Amino acid sequence: MDIEIKKDLVSNWFKLLQNAICDDISRLEKNKIKFKSTLWRRSKEKDEGGGEYRIITNGKIFEKVGVNFSKVYGKFPKKFQKNIPGASKDPRFWASGISIVMHMQNPHIPAMHFNTRYICTTQNWFGGGMDATPSIKDKKEESNFHLSLRKLCDRHNKTYYKKYKEWCDRYFYLPHRNEARGIGGIFFDYKKDNFERDFKFVRDVGITFQVIFNNIIEKKIKKKWTLKDKEMQYIKRGRYAEFNLLYDRGTKFGLQTGGNVEGILMSLPPIAKWK
């Protein structure tokens, strides 16, 4: 399959998923609050793509949720080329992705993160994953979350879940605190075994995330919480901010490749606290 056809298929899927998930979020908010949509371009001087990020703040369910789509291209800066597969000899790249971060009003509902992406240099690969960061422990919810991810992975390859879960546990970790950011999930990168199979898996990851966040929210939205619960959530959000600013590769990639700063930092919670 021609690489340009692959790029169109993937970026169109990411845009479709952005629309579908925003529709779900609007439905959960009973259409009483609208997304603030911002279109952005990577470069003002030349055509290097761009994207759209959509944000809701102070909803009944979502204290802050961002849904970001991007499709960018150009050349990697020299200092960045050696860190990207296939870019050391040819700095040109193309990348498209969708990234979602949900920070909830109700402390019983975990913060949730999802992203999938497709990057093309002289090599082409998928990456992505999803994870959850609760501020109040819920063993049943944690078990159901990982069971859904195992079923997702097993539909495609019986080895995926163990490998991608362990990768997620290693990645979403704060070494300066010696603790995990949340309850984990799955994380994968440099996935380039077979385009058709890999793209099918990436689409299933997106649909599974959609099912998971709807189920969790609908089960817990009416659960009562206290100010003490909210304070615990603010402290946990501090850990979330620390990880995203210190370690997150997506944040670094976006900033170093001329991405939209506000779109990249939409992952940060609206309010966080430290003891």
Side-chain angles (χ1 to χ4, degrees):
M1 188 186 299
D2 181 77
I3 186 62
E4 296 304 320
I5 294 176
K6 292 178 181 178
K7 290 176 181 177
D8 285 343
L9 285 171
V10 173
S11 60
N12 288 342
W13 163 253
F14 291 152
K15 190 64 181 174
L16 180 68
L17 186 60
Q18 182 191 39
N19 291 334
I21 287 178
C22 286
D23 286 346
D24 278 358
I25 292 167
S26 295
R27 176 185 55 80
L28 287 165
E29 290 287 356
K30 301 189 183 303
N31 296 307
K32 291 183 178 180
I33 188 166
K34 292 184 177 181
F35 278 94
K36 179 184 177 183
S37 174
T38 302
L39 297 172
W40 59 273
R41 307 297 298 174
R42 182 168 180 261
S43 171
K44 293 181 180 179
E45 293 76 28
K46 49 189 174 180
D47 180 15
E48 291 187 331
E52 178 190 12
Y53 67 90
R54 304 175 188 174
I55 292 179
I56 279 178
T57 55
N58 295 317
K60 184 178 180 181
I61 295 172
F62 300 93
E63 194 167 344
K64 181 183 180 184
V65 56
V67 186
N68 188 12
F69 165 81
S70 63
K71 182 172 71 172
V72 297
Y73 32 89
K75 293 182 179 180
F76 285 120
K78 283 188 177 180
K79 63 180 181 179
F80 204 40
Q81 291 170 22
K82 66 179 185 294
N83 299 320
I84 303 295
S88 58
K89 294 182 179 179
D90 186 342
R92 291 176 296 175
F93 79 95
W94 180 98
S96 183
I98 176 172
S99 179
I100 300 168
V101 176
M102 299 173 169
H103 294 291
M104 308 301 185
Q105 294 282 11
N106 191 326
H108 288 284
I109 305 174
M112 286 180 273
H113 161 254
F114 157 84
N115 80 87
T116 46
R117 57 192 175 273
Y118 186 55
I119 299 174
C120 301
T121 59
T122 56
Q123 302 178 29
N124 315 304
W125 69 91
F126 288 100
M130 72 179 86
D131 66 289
T133 307
S135 56
I136 299 172
K137 288 185 178 182
D138 183 333
K139 287 294 184 182
K140 184 177 180 180
E141 179 181 84
E142 182 176 344
S143 177
N144 288 339
F145 177 67
H146 281 283
L147 179 60
S148 295
L149 296 182
R150 180 184 290 277
K151 289 179 178 178
L152 153 69
C153 291
D154 286 353
R155 285 195 291 270
H156 301 268
N157 189 306
K158 297 290 185 181
T159 69
Y160 281 179
Y161 176 71
K162 183 176 186 296
K163 179 167 60 175
Y164 296 157
K165 178 187 182 298
E166 290 175 354
W167 199 341
C168 185
D169 290 341
R170 290 193 306 270
Y171 181 71
F172 290 106
Y173 189 79
L174 290 86
H176 65 285
R177 290 191 180 275
N178 194 31
E179 67 182 54
R181 188 176 81 170
I183 59 171
I186 57 171
F187 180 89
F188 58 94
D189 209 354
Y190 312 117
K191 191 165 185 53
K192 52 185 177 181
D193 302 324
N194 176 284
F195 177 81
E196 285 79 9
R197 287 198 297 266
D198 294 342
F199 186 29
K200 186 177 180 181
F201 173 68
V202 163
R203 295 197 303 271
D204 202 0
V205 172
I207 293 168
T208 300
F209 173 74
Q210 194 175 6
V211 171
I212 286 173
F213 83 74
N214 273 287
N215 286 343
I216 290 176
I217 289 170
E218 287 169 1
K219 284 179 182 177
K220 288 197 159 184
I221 188 54
K222 295 182 179 179
K223 197 170 180 66
K224 301 295 184 182
W225 53 272
T226 66
L227 289 177
K228 183 179 178 181
D229 294 333
K230 197 67 178 176
E231 287 296 313
M232 289 172 58
Q233 184 189 48
Y234 289 151
I235 296 296
K236 193 64 177 179
R237 284 179 179 176
R239 303 289 205 269
Y240 203 97
E242 288 173 20
F243 177 86
N244 281 33
L245 292 174
L246 291 172
Y247 306 114
D248 188 72
R249 283 167 32 185
T251 300
K252 293 178 181 178
F253 180 88
L255 295 175
Q256 291 174 334
T257 55
N260 180 274
V261 174
E262 296 303 323
I264 295 163
L265 297 181
M266 72 174 189
S267 63
L268 296 178
I271 301 174
K273 290 186 178 182
W274 285 261
K275 291 181 179 180

